[in-house]
Amino acid sequence: MRKNKIVVEEWLRSAEVRKEIELDAFVIMPNHLHAIVAIHRGERQIVSECLEAERRAMKAKTIGSFVSRFKAAATVRANELHGTPGKSIWQRNYYEHVIRSEKEQNRIREYIVNNPLRWQIDRENPDRKTNQVRSTIEEDDLYPWED
């Protein structure tokens, strides 16, 4: 099994085990992942038994906790497969952006779907060839969430 398959399986599994997560478009690149994720917080659970029970019932449902758990699950499985315990397979951090309109969401979806075609000029590609291609592509087309 390849790392990419593990990442896809863990990504899809995320929505099954984390009911507050809704997955949208995603693509796995050679050294990173692009995705749209919605977090539905729902109604606050009220526990009248005691304050401690209330604290346990209200776990944080943040993008940071989701990304951390997803990366950890995929890393453990990939390292078990390859016999590389403790090896990092992810970039240290992640980039998040709040999508504020349907138009913006559609632009980002299109970017995600077309991203593999742009790998040669991607900032994350260590072998990128920007000088030959950049002049023919608008900056807005490369990174639609940036102003």
Side-chain angles (χ1 to χ4, degrees):
M1 180 181 296
R2 294 180 43 213
K3 275 190 228 179
N4 283 357
K5 185 173 182 189
I6 290 171
V7 171
V8 169
E9 287 175 358
E10 287 301 324
W11 186 255
L12 297 175
R13 190 171 154 296
S14 296
E16 294 172 15
V17 299
R18 298 171 185 95
K19 299 301 181 194
E20 73 276 9
I21 296 296
E22 181 182 341
L23 303 178
D24 199 305
F26 75 96
V27 65
I28 298 171
M29 299 298 292
N31 66 351
H32 64 283
L33 167 96
H34 291 282
I36 298 174
V37 177
I39 298 178
H40 303 285
R41 298 191 193 279
E43 293 291 319
R44 178 179 161 185
Q45 182 178 357
I46 298 174
V47 179
S48 59
E49 305 280 330
C50 69
L51 184 56
E52 189 58 38
E54 186 173 324
R55 282 191 199 124
R56 282 195 309 267
M58 296 189 313
K59 300 256 184 201
K61 295 179 180 179
T62 65
I63 193 70
S65 65
F66 163 69
V67 169
S68 176
R69 289 182 200 138
F70 161 71
K71 283 180 167 183
T75 299
V76 166
R77 285 190 56 201
N79 284 337
E80 285 174 355
L81 173 71
H82 296 287
T84 55
K87 182 180 178 193
S88 177
I89 65 169
W90 297 102
Q91 295 173 5
R92 184 166 175 251
N93 211 338
Y94 68 96
Y95 174 83
E96 68 179 76
H97 171 79
V98 177
I99 298 173
R100 303 201 183 275
S101 71
E102 188 175 340
K103 180 180 177 184
E104 183 181 20
Q105 184 173 17
N106 288 333
R107 283 178 48 205
I108 294 171
R109 279 184 185 134
E110 184 178 337
Y111 167 83
I112 289 170
V113 168
N114 292 321
N115 198 255
L117 302 172
R118 297 178 175 169
W119 177 240
Q120 290 302 318
I121 58 173
D122 193 299
R123 283 192 265 220
E124 301 299 331
N125 182 349
D127 301 318
R128 77 177 174 155
K129 299 175 174 111
T130 56
N131 294 341
Q132 300 142 345
V133 185
R134 170 119 13 215
S135 62
T136 62
I137 297 176
E138 295 289 326
E139 186 71 22
D140 286 348
D141 292 335
L142 288 174
Y143 308 103
W145 53 86
E146 293 180 352
D147 293 328

